[in-house]
Amino acid sequence: MHPSRRLLLSHLIFRAPEIAPTSGIVSTPPDGDIELTWPVVADRARRLGTALRGLGVDAGDAVATLAFNDHRHLEAYLAVPCLGAAIHPVNTRWSDDEIVSVLSRTRDRVMLVDAELAGRVESLLPRCPWIDHLIGLGWSPPPFEGVTPHQHERLLAESTPMIGWPDLEETTTMALCSTSGTTGGPKTVAYTHRSTCLHTMALGLTDCMRLSGRDTLLAIVPMFHAMGWCLPYAAAMLGSRLVLPHRDLS
């Protein structure tokens, strides 16, 4: 298939800076509300892409997030799949046993953790020896044996924006999501660039959600749940104003 006809997230989710440069996101994490325009969001995502590549993240790798709906999580949502890796948003409501069970299958080498969930790291890391890098979202992780700690904002400040994303096949896995485990242990499903692009584009259709760049979207679906219904990607594609309420989802 000709590269220009492939359904890749990198073709869709960086449209907002071009078509809606004055629109953007509102994020409400505990360390302070922040408003960012779409060009700034894109720049930060590209810096994160460079930083992750510097940590050795490559095509086919899984990158775990234990985080709520905020701008930092969104940046990982944008950067990780476009690198050819798979974003793996972990259910924040799981027990440690459930998280370890899932991570033992996906073997994520890098994990991004929200400041409000920092207390869970001390019990999780010794049980996940395959994690090499821990990135604190809104906090600075202390040293852990065998794990290199990083502070998210510092990583971005020290990285230059990635100029171009890798050319991928549209069947490349872009995300890993798991069920709640209501009928047993959580079961993990792979999402491809093609399936996620189709879902994202469908949200703008008249007989679906009819989302447009004129709308303001409050993302109350957790980003660990079915990729937040792809609403963050749809907003980034259409230039909608996106509100990310952190953990206050209801």
Side-chain angles (χ1 to χ4, degrees):
M1 181 179 294
H2 191 279
S4 64
R5 297 179 182 175
R6 294 175 188 160
L7 292 178
L8 299 177
L9 281 172
S10 58
H11 297 166
L12 292 184
I13 59 177
F14 291 97
R15 291 181 72 247
E18 301 297 328
I19 64 174
T22 61
S23 183
I25 71 169
V26 177
S27 178
T28 63
D31 56 333
D33 296 357
I34 186 171
E35 294 191 36
L36 302 171
T37 64
W38 282 116
V40 173
V41 172
D43 178 79
R44 288 170 59 88
R46 292 182 186 278
R47 289 176 184 272
L48 181 59
T50 298
L52 292 173
R53 180 57 54 82
L55 298 183
V57 173
D58 207 347
D61 290 339
V63 175
T65 61
L66 186 63
F68 299 109
N69 292 15
D70 76 352
H71 60 292
R72 291 169 285 224
H73 201 177
L74 175 65
E75 291 154 15
Y77 247 54
L78 301 180
V80 174
C82 292
L83 283 174
I87 184 82
H88 180 201
V90 174
N91 191 329
T92 61
R93 299 165 187 168
W94 281 341
S95 68
D96 287 356
D97 286 344
E98 288 172 315
I99 292 176
V100 171
S101 173
V102 170
L103 294 182
S104 69
R105 297 193 298 268
T106 56
R107 297 278 167 161
D108 315 63
R109 290 182 49 250
V110 178
M111 189 172 191
L112 294 82
V113 179
D114 188 279
E116 291 215 345
L117 298 166
R120 304 193 65 177
V121 169
E122 189 171 352
S123 61
L124 287 172
L125 287 183
R127 302 175 63 185
C128 301
W130 50 84
I131 296 178
D132 296 325
H133 297 278
L134 175 66
I135 301 175
L137 303 179
W139 63 294
S140 298
F144 291 94
E145 184 177 358
V147 180
T148 304
H150 307 274
Q151 205 276 344
H152 175 263
E153 291 297 334
R154 189 171 300 120
L155 274 181
L156 298 193
E158 295 172 351
S159 301
T160 58
M162 180 163 284
I163 302 300
W165 301 104
D167 185 26
L168 308 170
E169 295 297 329
E170 60 179 19
T171 52
T172 299
T173 297
M174 56 71 55
L176 299 168
C177 275
S178 301
T179 65
S180 62
T182 51
T183 58
K187 303 163 187 66
T188 303
V189 176
Y191 291 59
T192 67
H193 278 260
R194 178 179 176 83
S195 66
T196 302
C197 283
L198 291 172
H199 186 175
T200 298
M201 292 187 290
L203 294 176
L205 295 178
T206 301
D207 293 327
C208 189
M209 287 192 173
R210 200 182 293 185
L211 186 66
S212 79
R214 297 185 297 274
D215 294 320
T216 296
L217 171 63
L218 175 62
I220 62 170
V221 181
M223 291 170 73
F224 63 73
H225 175 69
M227 298 305 294
W229 294 357
C230 288
L231 293 172
Y233 289 141
M237 176 185 70
L238 297 166
S240 310
R241 182 173 170 84
L242 178 64
V243 180
L244 297 167
H246 198 253
R247 67 180 303 158
D248 298 323
L249 302 176
S250 61

